[in-house]
């Protein structure tokens, strides 16, 4: 079964959103390098790579279904943040809108009875629960730390212990 035009367009939009999200996280990472939060910079760089991975899952899905992949220009990421808390509040907000977008995509797949697309999207539904939870937790910790510099630096070091691909098991 070929993908409908509407579904192709919606998946292409999602690829764009994942790539924009990757670029956004890289912008956050760049700010953390500048603000001397090396651990957070590393965490966000890994997250940026994960988002590219999300885009590539959908990219490959379109390619496998013989659908056209259309890439668009990415918006320039935000360059300045007020604090590390501000960074992760932005990340949480972005993840929430990605979840909303995935939900809409899933809804479309059910409406069209596009079951293999729905199956593909199930991984993303689960992933978004995880991503939102992770960001929400970091925001909560940073809210508790406030301006306590030693705690902030210690938490930054903890975020830096995230290693490449540790959270994402490949199929
Ligand atoms: Fe993503
Ligand atoms: Fe994400």
């Amino acid at each position: 079964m070929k993908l409908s035009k509407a579904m192709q367009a919606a998946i292409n939009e999602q690829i764009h959103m994942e790539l924009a999200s990757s670029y956004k996280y890289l912008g956050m990472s760049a700010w953390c390098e500048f603000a001397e939060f090396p651990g957070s910079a590393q965490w966000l760089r890994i997250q940026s790579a994960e988002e590219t991975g999300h885009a590539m899952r959908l990219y490959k899905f379109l390619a496998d279904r013989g659908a056209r992949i259309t890439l668009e220009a990415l918006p320039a990421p935000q360059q300045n943040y007020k604090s590390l808390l501000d960074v992760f509040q932005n990340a949480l907000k972005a993840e929430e809108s990605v979840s909303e977008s995935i939900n809409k995509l899933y809804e479309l797949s059910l409406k069209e009875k596009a079951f293999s697309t729905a199956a593909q999207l199930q991984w993303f539904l689960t992933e978004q629960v995880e991503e939102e939870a992770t960001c929400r937790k970091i925001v909560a910790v940073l809210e508790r730390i406030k301006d306590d510099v030693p705690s902030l630096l210690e938490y930054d070091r903890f975020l830096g212990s995230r290693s490449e691909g540790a959270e994402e098991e490949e199929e």
Side-chain angles (χ1 to χ4, degrees), residues 34-93:
F34 159 77
E36 301 292 351
F37 290 118
S40 307
Q42 147 112 342
W43 193 98
L44 291 157
R45 196 165 2 92
I46 293 171
Q47 187 59 34
S48 171
E50 267 202 21
E51 298 298 347
T52 302
H54 298 168
M56 293 314 291
R57 271 177 190 262
L58 295 170
Y59 181 103
K60 184 164 187 309
F61 179 70
L62 285 188
D64 287 348
R65 303 305 305 271
R68 187 73 201 272
I69 301 158
T70 50
L71 299 174
E72 309 276 350
L74 298 173
Q78 184 174 332
Q79 290 187 357
N80 291 303
Y81 292 91
K82 287 191 291 256
S83 60
L84 199 54
L85 174 61
D86 186 31
V87 167
F88 281 97
Q89 280 170 334
N90 267 277
L92 175 58
K93 220 167 73 195

Side-chain angles (χ1 to χ4, degrees), residues 18 21 25 47 51 54 95 98 128 131:
E18 300 291 346
S21 162
Y25 275 115
Q47 187 59 34
E51 298 298 347
H54 298 168
E95 289 300 343
V98 169
Q128 278 315 115
E131 301 238 303

